[in-house]
Amino acid sequence: MDSSDIQVLLSLQKIDQEISDLEKLINQIPEEIENLKKQKEELIYKFEKIHTDIKKLETLKREKELDIQSYEDRILKIQEALDKVRTNEEYKALLREKAQAEESIMEIEDEILVIMEDIENLQKEEEKLKQILEKEKEEIQKKIKQKEDQLEEIRKKLKKIKEEREQFIKKIKTPLLSKYEMIRKKRGTAVAVVDSDTCTGCYLIIPPKVYSSLVKGEKLLTCPHCGRFLIYQPK
Ligand SMILES: [Zn+2]
């Protein structure tokens, strides 16, 4: 193995880095697509929720109106009973009951007013959301499409680079390639640039002897600490 091999290994490392970056994107993009879909569903849910809230309030309003109706019926009956009453006690009791019924009606009427106001506010919100819903749904859909296209593009690119790698490694002697693969598997990267006298793979100082040999470019060297192939790049 001589020092010229290092440039080949460095090129291979660049290819591997690109492959790993693309693979990262391939893992990441489906999640981004999922998030966009969720965003769209939430928007639809929000709109539907307002709609059901309005329906619920309308039902409640109808129930309250029925309550008023039954109090009014009761008042009519009290009215009839008042005509037939014989004792003062009975008369007073009926009047009390009538007053209570009237008071209940007023309370319910107030409640209905609040409900009507709530319905009105929700309807306004529903209208506003309706206007933006279609537009936002469309925009999100567009983003999803972009991501899907991007993913497709990256898959193609990755396939191409992997094919290029297959061709590229044919130029590398098997023992050297095996060593490269072994270090890469263990360390993530197999080639490290030496900056001043430090290996940028493990950030430890290279012994002076190794360093001077590296500068001279005598042979292919590895870092005595992390085992990575060393490359000297004078600034
Ligand atoms: Zn090192």
Side-chain angles (χ1 to χ4, degrees), residues 192 199-204 206 223-228 230:
C199 163
T200 57
C202 63
Y203 292 97
L204 292 173
I206 308 293
C223 171
H225 311 293
C226 68
R228 287 181 180 90
L230 293 175

Side-chain angles (χ1 to χ4, degrees), residues 1 6 9 13 16 175-192 199 201 220-223 225-230:
M1 299 179 196
I6 192 70
L9 293 182
Q13 174 151 298
D16 283 335
L176 185 62
L177 183 64
S178 308
K179 196 171 176 194
Y180 170 91
E181 296 288 22
M182 200 184 69
I183 303 167
R184 188 168 77 100
K185 209 173 159 193
K186 204 166 144 193
R187 303 281 185 200
T189 54
V191 182
C199 163
L220 188 60
L221 293 162
T222 53
C223 171
H225 311 293
C226 68
R228 287 181 180 90
F229 292 107
L230 293 175

Side-chain angles (χ1 to χ4, degrees), residues 47-214:
F47 182 72
E48 282 172 353
K49 169 107 181 19
I50 291 179
H51 194 71
T52 44
D53 284 351
I54 291 172
K55 291 272 163 246
K56 271 186 207 159
L57 284 175
E58 280 170 347
T59 307
L60 186 64
K61 183 174 163 259
R62 271 195 298 279
E63 282 168 7
K64 300 268 175 203
E65 282 162 353
L66 286 175
D67 286 346
I68 288 180
Q69 189 58 52
S70 67
Y71 277 118
E72 278 170 350
D73 291 347
R74 182 66 201 141
I75 289 170
L76 279 179
K77 286 207 177 89
I78 294 169
Q79 211 67 48
E80 283 167 21
L82 279 173
D83 294 339
K84 296 168 198 156
V85 82
R86 300 207 178 152
T87 68
N88 206 24
E89 291 294 303
E90 232 181 307
Y91 187 77
K92 273 187 192 164
L94 283 170
L95 278 187
R96 247 199 322 272
E97 204 191 329
K98 191 186 167 204
Q100 275 167 0
E102 280 164 351
E103 204 181 309
S104 295
I105 287 175
M106 278 191 335
E107 276 169 17
I108 296 169
E109 277 171 349
D110 285 345
E111 285 168 17
I112 288 176
L113 280 180
V114 173
I115 292 169
M116 282 166 72
E117 209 176 303
D118 288 347
I119 290 175
E120 205 186 325
N121 286 335
L122 283 175
Q123 279 168 339
K124 273 184 205 154
E125 210 178 313
E126 189 187 30
E127 193 50 43
K128 232 193 303 177
L129 207 59
K130 202 175 172 180
Q131 283 169 4
I132 62 164
L133 186 69
E134 284 312 309
K135 209 174 141 226
E136 291 219 5
K137 258 163 65 180
E138 213 173 284
E139 267 169 31
I140 292 172
Q141 199 50 48
K142 216 190 278 171
K143 278 187 204 163
I144 290 175
K145 176 84 176 55
Q146 272 171 3
K147 294 269 174 205
E148 282 167 349
D149 291 347
Q150 198 190 350
L151 192 60
E152 190 51 41
E153 208 50 45
I154 290 168
R155 284 204 176 109
K156 274 186 213 155
K157 206 169 160 190
L158 182 64
K159 192 170 169 267
K160 198 169 153 254
I161 292 175
K162 279 186 170 172
E163 282 163 7
E164 279 168 17
R165 187 187 196 274
E166 285 305 307
Q167 291 305 313
F168 191 83
I169 56 173
K170 282 180 187 162
K171 291 187 278 185
I172 306 171
K173 281 158 258 160
T174 310
L176 185 62
L177 183 64
S178 308
K179 196 171 176 194
Y180 170 91
E181 296 288 22
M182 200 184 69
I183 303 167
R184 188 168 77 100
K185 209 173 159 193
K186 204 166 144 193
R187 303 281 185 200
T189 54
V191 182
V193 172
V194 172
D195 184 17
S196 303
D197 54 356
T198 305
C199 163
T200 57
C202 63
Y203 292 97
L204 292 173
I205 291 168
I206 308 293
K209 235 178 161 178
V210 179
Y211 184 69
S212 64
S213 173
L214 183 72

